Amino acid sequence: MPKPESFPIEKIFVPTKQKAIKPEIVGEIAESILEIGQQAPISVRRDGDRLVLVEGLHRLEACKALGETTILGVLVPAELAQHRPQLADRPEVEAERIKMARLKQLRLEKEAAEASSAAAQRVIATQAPRTGPTNGLRDAPKVSAGRIAKSKPKSLSDWITQQKGSGGRY
């Protein structure tokens, strides 16, 4: 098998018959490339001074979406490009598909766990006991228990009467 090399993305021509792109697959491959890098090179062939994509449309689109200017690929002879086996028949393609499905499943599980944890934190925060004043009473340790038990005065004269009774200043 030829050794992978770096090709400029703008020089790669995509034939019309290969332009069926699935955005969800491109997104998954882009995430994989960000996490672990490009693992499988694309296949290209020479056609004069340009390169023609033989295999790897979704990898090419993922690299474009990530803003890459080059992509790893192998140069295959034109006669091999005409007689290439179907993608579904290749075990490495199926292994890549299984790996991508597993990565997607792990990502979804992680997002679900994070969402569940965030929801639990919100519930705990709303059920936490209040530490501030409740019912107009202060939670001051210096205040005597008898003073806390008294009701809140309803008017200024009630407050003055309460202050006189407890020895407070007004």
Side-chain angles (χ1 to χ4, degrees):
M1 180 169 203
K3 186 174 181 166
E5 53 187 292
S6 184
F7 294 104
I9 289 177
E10 74 269 357
K11 300 259 186 208
I12 299 173
F13 171 75
V14 179
T16 307
K17 67 179 183 178
Q18 288 193 15
K19 292 198 177 183
I21 299 171
K22 296 180 182 172
E24 63 274 0
I25 294 176
V26 172
E28 290 174 11
I29 293 173
E31 286 179 22
S32 173
I33 289 173
L34 282 174
E35 291 177 19
I36 59 175
Q38 183 185 351
Q39 300 296 307
I42 64 170
S43 298
V44 293
R45 65 177 173 83
R46 289 229 180 260
D47 184 25
D49 62 340
R50 70 178 182 178
L51 299 167
V52 178
L53 182 69
V54 174
E55 184 180 322
L57 177 63
H58 288 97
R59 284 171 276 166
L60 178 66
E61 292 300 321
C63 285
K64 282 182 184 178
L66 293 172
E68 297 289 331
T69 57
T70 60
I71 187 169
L72 281 177
V74 291
L75 192 60
V76 295
E79 51 276 355
L80 287 179
Q82 299 295 331
H83 304 294
R84 66 185 174 99
Q86 291 295 323
L87 289 178
D89 298 338
R90 296 180 53 193
E92 64 269 11
V93 172
E94 184 60 26
E96 181 72 14
R97 188 173 291 128
I98 291 169
K99 181 177 92 175
M100 291 304 296
R102 181 67 183 141
L103 282 172
K104 181 179 180 183
Q105 181 66 29
L106 289 172
R107 180 178 49 82
L108 291 173
E109 289 173 2
K110 179 182 174 187
E111 289 173 358
E114 288 172 351
S116 175
S117 175
Q121 291 296 328
R122 285 192 301 271
V123 168
I124 290 171
T126 59
Q127 293 178 350
R130 293 183 178 191
T131 57
T134 57
N135 296 331
L137 301 176
R138 294 186 193 173
D139 294 334
K142 294 180 183 176
V143 178
S144 66
R147 191 165 179 195
I148 292 175
K150 292 183 181 181
S151 65
K152 181 178 174 183
K154 295 181 180 159
S155 68
L156 181 58
S157 63
D158 290 342
W159 180 79
I160 293 172
T161 306
Q162 185 180 18
Q163 291 294 318
K164 285 181 180 178
S166 65
R169 295 179 57 193
Y170 61 93

